[in-house]
Amino acid sequence: MEIEKSEQNKIEEKQKENWELINQGAEARIYRTIFYGKQTIIKERFSKKYRHPKLDKILTQKRVSQEVKCICKCRKAGILAPSIYYVDKETNSIFMEDFKDSITLKQFIFNINIESQKDLLNLSQTLREYGKIIANVHNLNIIHGDLTTSNILLKMEKNSLILIDFGLSYISTSFEDKGVDLYVLERAFLSTHPKSESLFQEVLDSYKKIVNSSKQIIQQFEKVRKRGRKRISFG
């Protein structure tokens, strides 16, 4: 058994020789490589040593399955998200489309010239489009789980937005879950882009026009927001 494990590790190390590590978070390592001639992003979920091995395997495989399911469901509905090329169940790795020629919404906002009316108009249109995307995702009962300005990409030449990083995504019809998703995005705006209340409001206004059960979701969002403010106020 130990010999088999050792051989498996050698195979995995050999496979990774041409993988470029570009990021490592709490849940996964992100690599860039060429896969069957295509520029590819590989998201490899690693095991958690503090969990029982069998439980860890079950939970990790479930997260990978949920992520792939949500991405595919979005793509089927016409929402731009990475194409899935391959899923390696042994290493819990997802091989997906790489958008190397794009920038994050975060970068786009930082690059805006506030003195330029054209730049401000482009920003407004982009934020409204982001709101539409979130609404359409919620209409599919998908909770993204990590909506930020870093997890939406802008392809400049096509002026299109691509939603990425579904690592915390899951399926839910709960209005509260959708409200929490919006609250996560609001906190991301306020922590990353100072004095950005108006930017988030543009996203929210666009979202409300398209999302199903808008009134109920916004009510839950306001409740979550109040709870969040109380925690900030009182620690």
Side-chain angles (χ1 to χ4, degrees):
M1 191 69 179
E2 288 301 316
I3 294 173
E4 288 179 9
K5 249 184 182 178
S6 176
E7 287 301 312
Q8 179 64 30
N9 289 338
K10 285 180 183 178
I11 292 169
E12 290 175 14
E13 287 172 10
K14 184 69 176 175
Q15 287 174 335
K16 291 181 181 180
E17 283 182 2
N18 296 319
W19 294 11
E20 175 195 357
L21 181 65
I22 56 176
N23 190 33
Q24 178 165 337
E27 300 288 330
R29 299 182 189 92
I30 307 298
Y31 299 91
R32 177 174 279 131
T33 191
I34 301 296
F35 181 70
Y36 283 95
K38 292 182 178 180
Q39 191 78 40
T40 301
I41 289 292
I42 301 172
K43 182 174 184 178
E44 178 193 44
R45 284 184 174 270
F46 42 77
S47 60
K48 300 293 181 65
K49 302 300 181 185
Y50 58 83
R51 290 196 298 224
H52 187 280
K54 285 187 179 179
L55 176 62
D56 180 73
K57 185 177 182 180
I58 291 169
L59 292 176
T60 304
Q61 288 181 344
K62 183 179 179 182
R63 288 301 325 155
V64 170
S65 177
Q66 284 182 324
E67 183 168 359
V68 171
K69 181 180 179 181
C70 289
I71 291 174
C72 291
K73 197 172 181 182
C74 281
R75 286 185 57 81
K76 189 175 180 181
I79 298 166
L80 292 180
S83 295
I84 304 294
Y85 297 146
Y86 177 65
V87 179
D88 186 336
K89 293 182 179 179
E90 289 299 316
T91 61
N92 296 306
S93 300
I94 305 171
F95 292 61
M96 65 188 98
E97 186 175 0
D98 182 12
F99 298 99
K100 203 172 181 180
D101 57 341
S102 61
I103 65 169
T104 64
L105 178 57
K106 176 182 176 180
Q107 292 170 316
F108 180 68
I109 293 172
F110 282 148
N111 292 340
I112 286 292
N113 178 3
I114 59 172
E115 303 297 327
S116 167
Q117 285 299 315
K118 184 180 177 181
D119 275 13
L120 292 176
L121 179 61
N122 285 341
L123 175 59
S124 180
Q125 290 173 339
T126 301
L127 293 172
R128 289 200 298 270
E129 185 61 28
Y130 193 13
K132 290 178 186 177
I133 289 171
I134 299 168
N136 286 325
V137 168
H138 282 179
N139 285 342
L140 294 172
N141 292 321
I142 294 173
I143 309 302
H144 184 275
D146 193 19
L147 292 173
T148 67
T149 54
S150 294
N151 287 338
I152 187 85
L153 300 179
L154 178 63
K155 291 192 78 169
M156 301 301 289
E157 76 281 6
K158 292 185 179 179
N159 198 29
S160 55
L161 292 175
I162 305 113
L163 191 59
I164 62 169
D165 201 350
F166 287 75
L168 298 177
S169 63
Y170 59 98
I171 305 295
S172 173
T173 59
S174 164
F175 297 141
E176 182 172 9
D177 287 350
K178 293 171 185 180
V180 170
D181 228 13
L182 293 175
Y183 180 69
V184 168
L185 179 60
E186 182 183 43
R187 297 311 307 166
F189 262 102
L190 295 177
S191 62
T192 309
H193 311 281
K195 300 179 181 178
S196 61
E197 290 87 350
S198 62
L199 301 185
F200 173 73
Q201 192 60 48
E202 284 219 59
V203 175
L204 191 62
D205 289 344
S206 177
Y207 170 89
K208 288 190 286 188
K209 291 176 184 176
I210 293 175
V211 74
N212 299 333
S213 305
S214 173
K215 183 178 178 181
Q216 293 92 328
I217 294 171
I218 297 304
Q219 283 176 345
Q220 291 301 317
F221 165 63
E222 294 293 350
K223 288 180 181 179
V224 174
R225 184 191 250 172
K226 284 178 183 176
R227 291 202 301 266
R229 285 174 177 167
K230 281 182 181 177
R231 282 197 295 269
I232 293 170
S233 298
F234 298 106

